[in-house]
């Protein structure tokens, strides 16, 4: 692979840290756990979308766009980071927010929603779940075109092949760090949502013949549907990046045991995971993605599905601003 052939903006100086989690590892009494701190990526409050936006925004600028258009849930980290990238680049940004939980949009809500306002979003369009997202964004682009402006549409989560390159790059970064640290990982565990992160990591691992299994933990969809989505995108990004071996279908594993009642809806396992990471490692997870992915990690270690002899890297994909919109559910007083 030669990722330097793709235009890229840089939003993070250097690499994100890989840290051991000794207290959590000891407390669970199983595998040796490490964490990749992608919550410390650049742009406002960090998180995985920053890596995808480095490639997507470079493309938007090459096409002469003046406005970024994207879509996400009402507490979308992706929308916050797309807006932050627009601010950094001197572009405008318009957001389409999908009410995945009916009635969930509250213009006065805290968390990411508050940051949309603070970062100066140009316009927000709220749509119901099930609306054609692409059509909704194209309507925004048409509105801009009528004013002589040029929008650039970024799909939900920045998850197309170009965006997923960000996580092919992350896989290479992990392998380099692993080599320098002298720590060989037996497994990588990551949240799987719009699929770009999971797909990019798998393509990067295969492209480097690294042979590290990747376990995805779903936050929204049933396992067969999500594995199909991730496989399709992994093949597309592998093709774009020039990965030679095909991505086998069985390289894609997306467990759905920790989704609970649905996307963004809290579960007791999520609350426990958020509290354990905070109190044992001083790491802030988020309630929608990393809290559920970490619940999966913890569950797999406790059940022995992840062996006590394994060294595991958990990818922290960010999202902590959403914590503040869930304080009532997460605080010790509430969960006691
Ligand atoms: C978007 C997001 C994910 C999921 O990543 P995808 O590439 O959409 O699968 C995980 N964690 C956080 C915090 C996110 O915002």
């Amino acid at each position: 692979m030669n990722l330097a052939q793709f235009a890229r903006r840089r939003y993070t100086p250097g690499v994100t840290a890989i840290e051991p989690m000794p207290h959590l590892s000891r407390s669970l009494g199983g595998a040796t756990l490490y964490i990749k701190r992608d919550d410390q990526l650049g742009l406002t409050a960090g998180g995985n979308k920053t890596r995808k936006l480095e490639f997507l925004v470079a493309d938007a600028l090459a096409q002469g766009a003046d406005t970024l258009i994207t879509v996400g849930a009402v507490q979308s980290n992706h929308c916050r980071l797309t807006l932050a990238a627009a601010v950094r680049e001197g572009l405008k940004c318009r957001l389409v927010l999908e009410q995945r939980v009916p009635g969930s949009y509250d213009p006065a809500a805290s968390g990411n929603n508050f940051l949309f306002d603070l970062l100066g979003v140009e316009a927000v369009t709220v749509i119901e779940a099930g609306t054609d997202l692409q059509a909704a964004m194209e309507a925004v682009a048409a509105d801009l075109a009528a004013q002589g402006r040029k929008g650039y549409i970024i799909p939900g989560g920045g998850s197309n092949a170009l965006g997923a390159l960000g996580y092919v790059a992350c896989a290479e970064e992990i392998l380099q760090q692993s080599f320098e640290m002298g720590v060989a990982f037996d497994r990588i565990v990551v949240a799987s949502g719009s699929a770009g992160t999971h797909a990019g990591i798998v393509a990067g691992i295969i492209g480097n013949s690294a042979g590290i299994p990747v376990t995805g933990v779903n936050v929204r969809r049933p396992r067969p549907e999500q594995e199909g989505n991730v496989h399709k995108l992994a093949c597309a990004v592998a093709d774009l990046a020039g990965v030679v071996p095909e991505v086998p279908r069985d390289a894609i594993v997306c467990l759905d045991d920790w989704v609970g009642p649905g996307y963004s809806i809290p579960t007791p396992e999520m609350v426990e995971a958020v509290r354990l990471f905070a109190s044992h490692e001083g790491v802030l997870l988020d309630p929608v993605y990393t809290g559920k992915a970490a619940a999966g990690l913890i569950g797999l270690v406790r059940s022995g599905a992840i062996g006590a002899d394994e060294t595991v890297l958990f990818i922290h994909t960010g999202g902590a601003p959403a914590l503040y919109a869930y304080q009532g559910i997460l605080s010790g007083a509430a969960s006691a």
Side-chain angles (χ1 to χ4, degrees), residues 253-320:
V253 175
C254 300
L255 306 177
D256 62 7
D257 309 72
W258 290 275
V259 177
Y263 176 81
S264 79
I265 301 173
T267 62
E269 293 81 6
M270 176 281 286
V271 172
E272 186 203 10
V274 169
R275 296 185 59 84
L276 273 179
F277 271 64
S279 61
H280 286 65
E281 300 295 344
V283 170
L284 299 181
L285 300 178
D286 82 286
V288 180
Y289 295 94
T290 54
K292 286 186 179 174
L297 173 73
I298 291 165
L300 293 168
V301 169
R302 283 186 179 146
S303 74
I306 292 181
D309 56 345
E310 286 191 44
T311 299
V312 178
L313 182 65
F314 178 77
I315 315 279
H316 188 158
T317 43

Side-chain angles (χ1 to χ4, degrees), residues 191-204:
S192 200
S194 66
T197 303
H198 187 176
I201 292 176
V202 170

Side-chain angles (χ1 to χ4, degrees), residues 175-217:
L175 294 171
Q176 183 67 32
Q177 286 173 295
S178 158
F179 178 59
E180 279 165 13
M181 294 165 73
V183 175
F185 295 111
D186 299 306
R187 186 193 299 268
I188 292 173
V189 175
V190 66
S192 200
S194 66
T197 303
H198 187 176
I201 292 176
V202 170
I205 292 292
I206 290 175
N208 283 280
S209 307
I212 304 173
V214 179
T215 302
V217 182

Side-chain angles (χ1 to χ4, degrees), residues 29-52:
T32 304
L33 306 176
Y34 284 78
I35 186 166
K36 172 73 170 160
R37 299 298 304 271
D38 269 12
D39 56 318
Q40 296 178 348
L41 287 166
L43 297 176
T44 311
N48 61 343
K49 306 313 180 305
T50 295
R51 288 191 191 268
K52 306 179 191 182

Side-chain angles (χ1 to χ4, degrees), residues 87-126:
V87 170
R88 181 73 69 85
E89 301 288 1
L91 304 172
K92 300 281 188 211
C93 180
R94 294 191 173 197
L95 299 175
V96 174
L97 299 182
E98 184 194 10
Q99 286 195 326
R100 292 180 192 166
V101 176
S104 55
Y105 179 66
D106 169 8
S110 179
N112 284 309
N113 187 82
F114 163 59
L115 297 179
F116 300 158
D117 173 57
L118 199 60
L119 292 165
V121 66
E122 189 181 48
V124 169
T125 309
V126 179

Side-chain angles (χ1 to χ4, degrees), residues 139-152:
V140 175
D143 187 43
L144 289 171
Q147 299 169 35
R149 290 170 54 181
K150 184 159 183 192
Y152 180 89

